[in-house]
Amino acid sequence: MFEFEVDHSHLRSDHLPAEIIQQFSEGHDRISRLALLPWEEHCTECAMPECYQTCDLYAPRKDGKCRRFVEGIEVLAGVPNCLGYVVRVSFKRWAQLMCYANLHLVETPRARKVLKYHIALSELVASIPDAALNIRGRRGISSRLARRAKIGLFNGGLLASSHERPDLFVCEIYNPSEMSVNLTLVLRSQDEPLRGRPYQRLIVASPGFQRICVPYGDISPHLHPQKDFTIVLGPNILTPEQEGTELYFGLLSFVKAEWAPVAAKRAAAGNSAGKTVKIAVWDLDNTLWDGILVEDGPDKVRLRPDMAGIIRELDRRGIVNSVVSKNDFDPAWQRIKDFGLDEYFVFPKISWGPKGEAVRATIEDFNVGADTVVVIDDSPFERFEVQTANPSVRVMDPAECDGLLDKPEFSPPASDEALLRRQYYRNEESRQQFRTRVAGGDYRDFLRQCEIRICVVRADPSNVARAHELIQRTNQLNFSGNRYSREQVEQLISDPTKLALCISARDRFGDYGMVGFSVLEKGVAPRLADLMLSCRVQAKRVEHAFLVHLLNLCHESGARHFEALYRKTERNKQAGQVFDDLGFSCKPPEGNLYRFEYDLSFPVAEDGIIAIEAQDQVNVS
């Protein structure tokens, strides 16, 4: 499952404590199927093969590709988990794990055999001394052929015994340090338009072992079931001092697993008698009704016996009902209407997002304590996930509903207020829905919620090294295609006729570090000679915010005309869209060189999506 066909090393069997090995293996006997994902080392700023000659960080492997992990992928064998091993990765700057992924689930016994043969054959391939052999510009041809065969075998589905969808994406990490490490997990479809809406999640690897389980239902809306997709996982290493960040990885895959005993144990611990219940949150499929709506269709699902009576009686007692379900909203809500129960549910959350988050939002909507909320759901996994995200929330299996009305926590004192409680929350729901309609819900609103901020400063000797590295690696958002040497960057900084700017960015999830470098030619009519941005901020409108900021600086300096140069290439052709978006006019192109112009008679309005933080006064005249 990992890239062992390239030179790598082995760790001693006693390298990790026995209790950590046990944690990597716990519960694997209840995994029935898993996807074989070919993980390999990758660079966030990859511009291969050009960067092999221009990047100061390039370190060749056996196959000539760049070594982005300090010692490659190091294997610790003999672990009694699904893989038979765990791996250690020490990340260099911009390093990440990446795979061309698939959803083909292989029965666990067969997967173990395949992985055993894979590691043995990889050992053989890695030992072939063909690193110096160059065939049409490619070195280490044995490793390259082995990689291609592995990806074809794993992603072709030849080993899969069924086509059922997985339950989870599982990420097992051991962090041996005393500091937490933030990693970004991104699953991106290669199919348009889903490519622009990847699944992205921040994973905080705290000291010690952790197993992160992401429900497949959270991921599936971002993927096309018949199209290729990629997965990347890596820390945000920004400085040389952070290089060598060390983590151990076990299972990184899609699985079918029965982890009910663990979930049931957690659920039982949370179901002890507590405060009187104020809010009852109901799942739909195989809970409120029998059947699964998206699979069986609306005509096949049937309301469970006595369920309508239970909901109405809870309502009469002043216990308000709500819904948290993984379904499409419109057909699910229509079926609730068909059963005559829609008036009883307030603040319903029907979507494909994590239920733990939906329950937390429900608690906030009702403005009640989490310990006064109970969630009724048939899935042990969902109950476990809800309690993991909301430890004080109580959870129940619908099988317990027969005696629900007799439980003391569901029998609050009778009052006149109880009869009005649902209407009170219904009015509050109407207020919130109005605010939501006013705020909208498009992609730009999502970007605003990310709270992106960019900082623009003059380039100086302290950031030359990072600027040079960025320049060597930018392609898709390189507006000129230039590749400045370090000496040329230093000359640009010292040139009084030019203004070199560095752009850094951060958002609510973390710090991107330096993501952009720009060169402005000063004068009565300032001209943007270069703009280069990291692909890490692609589709986040950073280029829009920076250009508006630059246009306004030029306007404030007295300039009334602005020009921008853009040399169109195959890889940066999407970058030029920003000039059309902002209303630039374009002169007739000279080959692939475009000259865009902007009238600075008036200041340029900002769209408010990204905040600008200028740390020093920038003189553009």
Side-chain angles (χ1 to χ4, degrees), residues 71-219:
E71 298 292 341
I73 300 176
E74 303 172 274
V75 60
L76 193 160
V79 177
N81 62 358
C82 286
L83 310 178
Y85 55 79
V86 299
V87 300
R88 179 174 72 177
V89 173
S90 299
F91 292 87
K92 294 183 180 180
R93 229 177 316 172
W94 300 335
Q96 60 184 2
L97 281 164
M98 177 263 206
C99 75
Y100 296 97
N102 67 83
L103 295 171
H104 304 303
L105 299 183
V106 181
E107 292 182 353
T108 302
R110 174 182 288 185
R112 286 197 182 101
K113 290 181 181 179
V114 171
L115 293 171
K116 182 178 179 181
Y117 289 130
H118 166 248
I119 197 170
L121 290 173
S122 296
E123 293 279 352
L124 177 62
V125 170
S127 66
I128 297 175
D130 59 350
L133 180 63
N134 190 318
I135 300 178
R136 300 178 67 178
R138 291 172 170 82
R139 300 189 317 183
I141 196 68
S142 60
S143 295
R144 290 174 175 267
L145 291 174
R147 172 184 177 271
R148 182 174 297 182
K150 173 185 66 178
I151 293 176
L153 178 64
F154 289 179
N155 290 0
L158 301 177
L159 301 172
S161 56
S162 70
H163 298 287
E164 59 185 327
R165 67 181 185 180
D167 297 325
L168 311 165
F169 180 79
V170 177
C171 181
E172 295 178 335
I173 307 172
Y174 169 59
N175 177 5
S177 74
E178 297 179 355
M179 301 292 292
S180 295
V181 177
N182 290 340
L183 301 102
T184 301
L185 173 68
V186 181
L187 293 89
R188 186 185 300 274
S189 174
Q190 299 305 299
D191 181 61
E192 299 291 353
L194 291 176
R195 179 176 173 79
R197 294 294 184 94
Y199 175 85
Q200 184 166 329
R201 172 171 174 165
L202 176 69
I203 292 178
V204 180
S206 304
F209 175 83
Q210 45 254 292
R211 176 182 290 153
I212 296 94
C213 298
V214 183
Y216 177 66
D218 297 350
I219 296 171

